[in-house]
Amino acid sequence: KLGNSLKKSIRKIAGSGRIDEEAVDELTRDIQRSLLKSDVDVKLVKNLTDQIKERALEKKPKGANPREHVVKIVYEELVKIVGEGGAPPIESQDILLLGLQGSGKTTTASKLANYFKNKGMKVGLICGDTYRPGAYEQLKTLSQKVAIPFYGEEEADDVVSVIKNGLETLNDQEIRIIDTAGRHSLEEELIKEMKEIEKTVSPENKYLVIDASIGKGVKEQAKSFEKAVGIDGVIITKIDGTAKGGGALTAVSETNTKIAFLGTGEKPEEFEEFDPEGFISRLLG
Amino acid sequence: VILEEEDLEKPLSELKLGLVESDVDYDVAEKIIEEVKEELVGKEIKWRKDVGEIVEKALKDALLKIFDFQFNFDSYIQSKEKPINILFVGTNGVGKTTTIAKVSKYLMENNYSTVLACGDTFRAGATKQISEHGESLDTKVIKHEKGGDPAAVIYDAVEFAEANNKDVVLGDTAGRMHTDINLMDQIKKIKRVTNPDLVIFVDEAVAGSDAVERAKEFHKAVNIDAVVLTKIDADVSGGSAISITYEVQKPIIFVGTGQTYSDLKKFDSEWFVNQLFK
Ligand SMILES: Nc1nc2c(ncn2[C@@H]2O[C@H](COP(=O)(O)OP(=O)(O)OP(=O)(O)O)[C@@H](O)[C@H]2O)c(=O)[nH]1
Ligand SMILES: Nc1nc2c(ncn2[C@@H]2O[C@H](COP(=O)(O)OP(=O)(O)OP(=O)(O)O)[C@@H](O)[C@H]2O)c(=O)[nH]1
Ligand SMILES: [Mg+2]
Ligand SMILES: [Mg+2]
């Protein structure tokens, strides 16, 4: 489960037959570097490796192989932060997709709709982005691709009224997914708009859509989205690149939620329910 | 007083952590700090208590040196034979299309005429997006059928520019992951066929250490000439500017400071490095 760079330092621990402080020090340094390179927040990395070191040097369970003991600890401590998968229940709900510019919301909206459709639900997509040139066309085309009913108003600029009309028009759908324009914490007008949208829709689930390559700025973003409207889950996109998604750990700890899905490409089927194992071993490089 | 390694350990490791916390890639931060250390070890200073200040100044100078290039975009555009063909590349969602619209506006304000080439023949709404920009800017957009050959669109745009005395062709391409072999082959082919005068790599300031990886891969594939770093208006420290520049050793010519046409500024490395030390 651990990447190649950590396997070497793990072997050093196993080789000594017992767990010595120097080997554990070297291992935690290697873990720190891997996690920092994966964009995990510095404080989180420090707390995590302190925990790992403390537990690794405790008396290990009788008969346990030292190497497996330490690997198990590293894994458990990461799962504590990452959490288990948080896929939504398969039932009637309105879902709002929020996030930074270009994070993958519109693409994810159509993937999520397709996901529910494959589970037998009736789903509708609403274009709640009245800013971006071509946003209407983009979501409309994606909706057609997965044969999902779509509502949008191409020339409109009152996003709240578009969304109201969409909810009304698609009221025979069990699940309605609303795509919104990209925004970040310093864009006051857009944050204000997001609050108005949230009040209008009162969605069961608000997902923060985050690019796997996001850096340290994720902390501020997650905090401000959480503070503005409250987040119910995180969706990580573009994990098919080389980015490890370390920013996701910060996002879930700032919003106190779980990772619901992973986007693994541009096609509708490139979408998976979050599973901690693969994610963590990737994180450890 | 001669500076020894032990005198430098603590201030250097604190600065390294500072760089990493500002989103500079871990390995790049390590290399830069290592170079600063080599520069300072054995150096003679007046008072040992000044070590912290001296180390910080040395790091500032090292960072400024990373951004020291001779390339001037404005003089390049002015002196280069027209039409100039500029290709924009990068991963998904970083801001290529929006940047092209902004660069077009910038050039038009400097009395150059532009042609936008919709080389993204893949993504839903791509043609519509760039066409709307072309309409708002009142500049020509060349587009083909969806699924068409991106190289052919850009080629047509250059032909159009030559026939109509247009100054600059701005070629958009679809976002692509540097890990996708087929798409990286495609971008290599697009470059080979359309023979751009400049290849501009677009990346976002909100990205963490992955910015280095993708800059490296795109540079290997198509030999980048310059970089545009977008979204610096978001709450970011912009360490990726350092990582990318250190890695590909090419200038950042513009930064994106928002979503409208006027949100394009020249990259000011002095201002940027000073920001980092605040
Ligand atoms: N490789 C890859 N590309 C993705 C993934 N998700 C989205 N994309 C691409 O990322 C780019 C941006 O996606 P969009 O859906 O337009 O992003 P957005 O958040 O709606 O952007 P704004 O509305 O401008 O804020 C597009 O090129 C998508 O095809 C993914 O999981 N993997
Ligand atoms: N805040 C901010 N947003 C930006 C900036 N540059 C681009 N954007 C936004 O980022 C999003 C993506 O921009 P695009 O121009 O579609 O990005 P792209 O690289 O062409 O995307 P693909 O073609 O899908 O790969 C849009 O919502 C833009 O408005 C910037 O400098 N600041
Ligand atoms: Mg969108
Ligand atoms: Mg584009």
Side-chain angles (χ1 to χ4, degrees):
Chain A
K1 276 186 291 213
L2 285 187
N4 290 320
S5 58
L6 292 184
K7 282 199 180 117
K8 286 219 328 281
S9 18
I10 281 280
R11 261 203 295 278
K12 288 210 182 119
I13 293 182
S16 60
R18 57 182 203 83
I19 298 167
D20 75 69
E21 182 139 13
E22 193 177 319
V24 170
D25 268 345
E26 180 168 344
L27 175 68
T28 52
R29 266 200 308 278
D30 286 345
I31 290 176
Q32 281 175 348
R33 181 179 166 278
S34 288
L35 294 179
L36 287 174
K37 282 237 12 129
S38 298
D39 295 311
V40 181
D41 172 83
V42 176
K43 283 207 193 64
L44 264 178
V45 172
K46 179 92 196 10
N47 294 338
L48 188 72
T49 48
D50 283 349
Q51 275 295 99
I52 291 171
K53 191 165 170 209
E54 190 176 318
R55 284 187 59 190
L57 292 175
E58 276 169 4
K59 186 165 175 329
K60 72 168 168 54
K62 214 164 178 42
N65 169 329
R67 178 193 310 190
E68 290 184 356
H69 175 61
V70 176
V71 171
K72 182 162 170 293
I73 290 171
V74 172
Y75 190 77
E76 283 175 0
E77 288 303 317
L78 275 166
V79 171
K80 270 197 201 144
I81 305 182
V82 170
E84 299 299 329
I90 308 301
E91 57 190 37
S92 259
Q93 61 193 289
D94 286 338
I95 297 177
L96 195 59
L97 294 184
L98 307 164
L100 258 63
Q101 286 88 355
S103 63
K105 298 173 293 300
T106 306
T107 310
T108 297
S110 66
K111 288 176 176 180
L112 189 57
N114 191 43
Y115 167 84
F116 281 118
K117 176 167 172 240
N118 290 338
K119 299 260 180 193
M121 302 294 287
K122 293 177 71 208
V123 198
L125 279 165
I126 298 174
C127 174
D129 180 350
T130 51
Y131 289 110
R132 177 171 149 153
Y136 169 94
E137 178 75 15
Q138 184 183 8
L139 188 57
K140 179 155 179 257
T141 304
L142 289 173
S143 310
Q144 287 167 347
K145 192 159 182 216
V146 291
I148 299 259
F150 165 79
Y151 184 87
E153 291 173 30
E154 193 160 15
E155 296 303 318
D157 42 33
D158 179 353
V159 70
V160 171
S161 89
V162 172
I163 293 175
K164 276 202 187 121
N165 296 340
L167 291 171
E168 222 165 288
T169 307
L170 296 175
N171 65 2
D172 56 338
Q173 301 300 328
E174 297 165 305
I175 298 184
R176 294 164 310 178
I177 298 170
I178 300 131
D179 182 23
T180 64
R183 71 202 73 224
H184 60 69
S185 58
L186 299 179
E187 291 167 323
E188 293 190 11
E189 281 308 314
L190 293 179
I191 298 293
K192 191 154 154 274
E193 173 193 274
M194 175 170 69
K195 290 183 182 161
E196 287 176 38
I197 293 174
E198 201 275 333
K199 279 221 210 78
T200 306
V201 182
S202 268
E204 277 71 23
N205 275 311
K206 289 159 263 166
Y207 289 122
L208 184 59
V209 179
I210 295 190
D211 188 320
S213 68
I214 198 166
K216 308 293 183 298
V218 62
K219 189 166 196 169
E220 258 332 288
Q221 300 310 323
K223 257 201 196 135
S224 90
F225 276 78
E226 171 65 8
K227 184 155 173 274
V229 296
I231 296 295
D232 302 301
V234 171
I235 297 177
I236 309 291
T237 61
K238 311 180 206 170
I239 201 88
D240 48 301
T242 43
K244 310 289 190 310
L249 275 75
T250 300
V252 296
S253 66
E254 288 297 326
T255 58
N256 199 12
T257 61
K258 302 198 169 106
I259 300 172
F261 296 100
L262 294 178
T264 58
E266 296 186 81
K267 305 201 198 83
E269 61 273 16
E270 289 170 321
F271 193 61
E272 335 176 327
E273 287 181 14
F274 177 72
D275 157 44
E277 218 177 279
F279 186 80
I280 289 176
S281 57
R282 215 186 127 90
L283 209 61
L284 290 172
Chain B
V1 178
I2 299 286
L3 281 177
E4 311 266 328
E5 273 215 33
E6 307 98 47
D7 305 313
L8 300 169
E9 278 301 334
K10 188 153 173 302
L12 281 179
S13 79
E14 283 177 7
L15 284 176
K16 177 161 118 194
L17 189 63
L19 287 177
V20 171
E21 285 182 315
S22 300
D23 248 342
V24 177
D25 171 72
Y26 186 89
D27 291 336
V28 170
E30 202 160 61
K31 286 190 199 133
I32 294 173
I33 294 295
E34 201 49 37
E35 289 164 12
V36 170
K37 181 162 106 185
E38 288 180 14
E39 179 80 12
L40 293 176
V41 163
K43 185 165 182 183
E44 170 142 16
I45 66 170
K46 207 150 186 289
W47 307 106
R48 178 164 265 116
K49 69 174 174 59
D50 293 337
V51 176
E53 257 187 60
I54 289 178
V55 172
E56 190 170 300
K57 169 113 194 353
L59 177 59
K60 243 193 199 167
D61 290 343
L63 291 176
L64 285 173
K65 205 140 138 272
I66 289 171
F67 292 116
D68 189 11
F69 295 97
Q70 295 316 321
F71 181 75
N72 182 314
F73 183 71
D74 293 340
S75 6
Y76 178 86
I77 298 291
Q78 184 175 40
S79 55
K80 185 88 181 146
E81 176 183 5
K82 316 290 187 284
I84 303 173
N85 177 13
I86 305 180
L87 186 70
F88 289 79
V89 303
T91 56
N92 306 75
V94 295
K96 298 175 293 300
T97 306
T98 308
T99 297
I100 284 172
K102 291 175 185 177
V103 171
S104 175
K105 173 90 178 157
Y106 175 82
L107 291 170
M108 292 164 84
E109 283 178 343
N110 287 300
N111 295 316
Y112 296 107
S113 53
T114 65
V115 179
L116 309 186
C118 180
D120 181 350
T121 55
F122 166 73
R123 208 204 68 210
T127 304
K128 185 72 163 97
Q129 183 182 8
I130 200 168
S131 300
E132 277 193 30
H133 281 308
E135 242 170 83
S136 312
L137 294 167
D138 192 19
T139 196
K140 178 76 178 170
V141 178
I142 299 286
K143 48 191 189 258
H144 284 192
E145 301 255 316
K146 188 155 196 277
D149 176 8
V153 183
I154 296 174
Y155 193 82
D156 276 0
V158 175
E159 298 240 302
F160 179 90
E162 283 170 345
N164 296 277
N165 287 323
K166 300 294 183 186
D167 300 314
V168 188
V169 173
L170 302 172
D172 197 5
T173 61
R176 70 202 61 226
M177 279 304 171
H178 44 294
T179 45
D180 190 319
I181 298 183
N182 292 331
L183 290 181
M184 291 310 282
D185 278 346
Q186 183 195 61
I187 199 75
K188 285 183 198 155
K189 168 159 169 278
I190 292 173
K191 175 173 184 197
R192 213 173 41 239
V193 168
T194 65
N195 200 16
D197 297 304
L198 284 182
V199 174
I200 298 194
F201 177 67
V202 181
D203 213 338
E204 51 191 357
V206 295
S209 59
D210 201 52
V212 176
E213 199 51 35
R214 48 216 214 186
K216 184 160 91 194
E217 288 306 312
F218 271 84
H219 192 41
K220 257 203 243 147
V222 293
N223 216 338
I224 301 169
D225 294 302
V227 177
V228 172
L229 194 65
T230 64
K231 309 179 194 172
I232 68 162
D233 52 303
D235 197 354
V236 285
S237 32
S240 51
I242 295 174
S243 312
I244 293 171
T245 308
Y246 186 86
E247 180 63 38
V248 303
Q249 300 189 6
K250 295 292 173 181
I252 295 176
I253 52 174
F254 289 111
V255 287
T257 59
Q259 303 188 80
T260 73
Y261 298 131
S262 52
D263 293 321
L264 188 75
K265 303 268 167 345
K266 287 284 171 61
F267 179 65
D268 180 347
S269 58
E270 287 236 17
W271 173 87
F272 175 77
V273 173
N274 285 325
Q275 281 294 103
L276 215 58
F277 278 86
K278 277 232 186 87

